[in-house]
Amino acid sequence: MKRLFSLVLLVALSAQAQHALNATGRWQHQPVGHAPTPPMGWSSWNAFRVDITEQKVMDSARVIVDSGLAAAGYRSINVDDGWWLKRRSTDGRLLVRTSLFPSADLGPGRDSSLRPFTERIHAMGLKAGLYTDIGRNACSQAYDADSPNLPEGTHAEREVGLMGFMEQDLKLFFDEWNFDFLKVDGCGLSSYGADRPHVASGQYRAYKPSLVEGSVNQSDIEGTKKLYADLNQSMRKIRPKGDYVLSVCLWGTANVRSWGQDHGSMWRTSRDIWKGFAQMVHNFDTVATREFYAGPGRWNDPDMLEIGNGDFGDGQLLEARTHMGLWAIAAAPLMIGTDLSKASSALIDILKAPEVLAINQDPAGHQGVIAYADSDRQILVKTLADGRKAVLLFNRSGAPAKFTLTAEHLKMDATAPVALRDAWARAEAGSFTGRREFELQAREALLFTATGKHLLPRGYFVSERPGHVYVARDGLRALEQDPIIYRAMASWSSTDNGGTRPAYAGWGGPRADSTPYDQALSVQRQPFRHGIGVLADSRLQVQVPAGSQRFMARVGVDDSTRGKSVGVSFEVWGDGRRLAATAAMKFNQAARELSADLRGVKLVELIARQHGADSAGSVVVTWGDARIE
Ligand code: GLA
């Protein structure tokens, strides 16, 4: 009986899995709030931690306006952790610490309110952001225990997070206080286990934990996702016009790098940034291979900027520019994290650099794709809306390094001139045919826009426009931590343990111009410089522009596959109709041409369907030269 039951369950589950593989014919990404380009603004955290006051926030907001940063796009002024006094026990209303936010004190007998604050911010032409936690308690209560500004009172009064009060708090933040942006942290889920000193001592009520940093297997992924899905649903009701930004802050845990796009406008892909160069590189790496997960309305978030602080201060403008260039090419949200009242004009100029911001804010919303990488050097290329490319050359090392940029990196014709423009100098930087040599200083990143003849004169490779792709199904059978993210020493870590391990799920997700496991694309020894690498049992949705004629690719099982025994068929669907398909193909068979007529089609779905199980592991497939003509 039991066996019969499990058999039925297995069949039901695999039917469900098969179902998820089927084309839907409609773009499945539902925007969360409104973030057509990467959100920009200022946040108090990197500048002040919990040592925050209304005056400090207003001082930076004033500089944002007066220095032209607001005109350049930095609009959201975000109050991070540290604003609350308590949750009132009678009705659960959150009270503001008015000694820090004096304008919230509306006089005797009246409830404290952040409305006067948001009104001041709005009157300056800016938007206002606030911070909360999805659990019962916030991060500061676990990690800033010595701060005099932590919530006070009984257990219940100090439970200032959303859990149990979601609708009520969201209404307070958005209806009554009129905020525009909300960052929702996750420490309430991760940092209040019974064994934590602040819990064991009786200060806080224990919570499971349901989130374990660095361990996807020990984290309750579905439960965490459900909490953010509820948040997203509530926000849709409270702000039906969608005029808000929702920032999911789960530090790359719980596989949020895959599902963040479904429940947030932006989602953190890594642990907290810090003002050290190595940590900044670590954070960058957590977004750099996630090009298919971002696009207009959904942004991978490597965390707030540290420009102006530590390794990115006035003495190190080269590093400050590198940090900015990386966030620009990655289409990352740009949240200034320094005390602007103390920032030099040189730093403000870096934050404001118009051609660098234009690359970040390009309306097409494509994240830069890695065109070259070794441990020390990277070249990333970002397709811009007008057909130009932005290209970043990044010397990660501590010594000067030589780079060769080729037309092929840019997916441009090697026989035609490519004109470069330096985004920092805002000046033409000469042109080259075929290749050009550069020498970069230690930690330097150069950023150009490039104009030239495209490799495909009448079309483009799908991997050039990752923002048009939605990963409806990634084909992953088991979550694994991504080993290629640079494991910087965290600011708080010593070497008294076994080391910093790969911490973020996502290894094996689809990649542009690479296999899911970071190998070069290749089918029966035929290499593909361009294409999509993905696991079998996957479905990728691809938006195509009006007037598209044809999809073409050379498809097959990739030479790097783990599973080598089963067959995979490749299907191309257009607006829910099957347009073309191959028979089942196996490892070591030559790539096959797959071509589909796209006339009238708006949405293409690329399905790689695996026939049977392979005990050796996942089957890696390649959509070689996948292109739209
Ligand atoms: C977490 C977040 C930070 C910041 C702090 C506030 O660590 O990742 O960005 O919001 O909490 O306590």
Side-chain angles (χ1 to χ4, degrees), residues 326-471:
L326 290 169
W327 264 235
I329 204 82
L334 299 176
M335 294 297 167
I336 298 170
T338 198
D339 179 356
L340 284 172
S341 71
K342 300 211 175 77
S344 68
S345 58
L347 283 166
I348 288 178
D349 285 346
I350 288 176
L351 290 164
K352 217 165 66 166
E355 296 190 14
V356 177
L357 290 182
I359 290 169
N360 172 270
Q361 292 289 302
D362 183 77
H366 301 299
Q367 187 177 308
V369 170
I370 297 172
Y372 174 88
D374 57 37
S375 290
D376 288 338
R377 296 170 297 185
Q378 279 177 321
I379 299 175
L380 280 96
V381 177
K382 181 182 197 290
T383 299
L384 303 177
D386 62 7
R388 284 176 309 149
K389 296 289 175 84
V391 55
L392 176 114
L393 278 52
F394 176 29
N395 178 8
R396 301 162 67 106
S397 78
K402 291 198 163 58
F403 280 66
T404 303
L405 175 68
T406 69
E408 192 162 18
H409 287 138
L410 300 162
K411 302 203 194 301
M412 286 178 183
D413 187 335
T415 64
V418 176
L420 293 179
R421 183 174 167 85
D422 186 324
W424 286 110
R426 293 157 70 187
E428 304 309 323
S431 72
F432 69 93
T433 302
R435 55 174 51 218
R436 177 158 164 189
E437 313 295 328
F438 294 88
E439 178 150 339
L440 271 68
Q441 297 176 56
R443 296 175 161 187
E444 189 178 20
L446 301 179
L447 186 60
F448 301 101
T449 50
T451 315
K453 192 172 156 206
H454 285 211
L455 216 46
L456 296 178
R458 287 177 303 114
Y460 60 91
F461 294 106
V462 177
S463 59
E464 292 183 88
R465 300 192 187 181
H468 290 174
V469 173
Y470 176 75
V471 182

Side-chain angles (χ1 to χ4, degrees), residues 43 45-46 49-50 80-82 131 133 138-141 143-144 183 185-187 249-251 268 270-273 303-304:
S43 163
W45 184 253
N46 289 346
R49 275 190 90 93
V50 273
D80 207 284
D81 203 347
Y131 168 92
D133 196 284
C139 293
S140 56
Q141 295 174 300
Y143 300 106
D144 291 82
K183 170 173 167 181
D185 218 328
C187 284
C249 183
L250 286 175
W251 337 288
R268 284 271 302 279
S270 60
R271 68 181 182 221
D272 290 9
I273 197 169
D303 205 358
M304 304 168 287

Side-chain angles (χ1 to χ4, degrees), residues 232-305:
N232 181 15
Q233 275 313 105
S234 301
M235 281 307 300
R236 280 179 207 271
K237 271 189 253 152
I238 291 168
R239 285 276 172 105
K241 282 198 227 136
D243 50 343
Y244 57 88
V245 172
L246 210 54
S247 163
V248 173
C249 183
L250 286 175
W251 337 288
T253 63
N255 200 28
V256 68
R257 298 203 305 154
S258 298
W259 59 261
Q261 57 178 331
D262 298 322
H263 302 303
S265 329
M266 54 196 264
W267 55 95
R268 284 271 302 279
T269 53
S270 60
R271 68 181 182 221
D272 290 9
I273 197 169
W274 182 69
K275 57 194 177 185
F277 191 82
Q279 178 65 43
M280 183 278 291
V281 173
H282 165 91
N283 283 41
F284 170 72
D285 278 359
T286 63
V287 303
T289 56
R290 305 297 287 175
E291 61 274 8
F292 283 135
Y293 291 83
R298 48 187 181 127
W299 309 102
N300 288 312
D301 178 13
D303 205 358
M304 304 168 287
L305 297 169

Side-chain angles (χ1 to χ4, degrees), residues 543-560:
Q543 290 170 318
V544 297
S548 298
Q549 302 278 318
R550 188 155 284 284
F551 168 86
M552 288 199 279
R554 293 188 62 78
V555 298
V557 173
D558 193 89
D559 292 342
S560 70

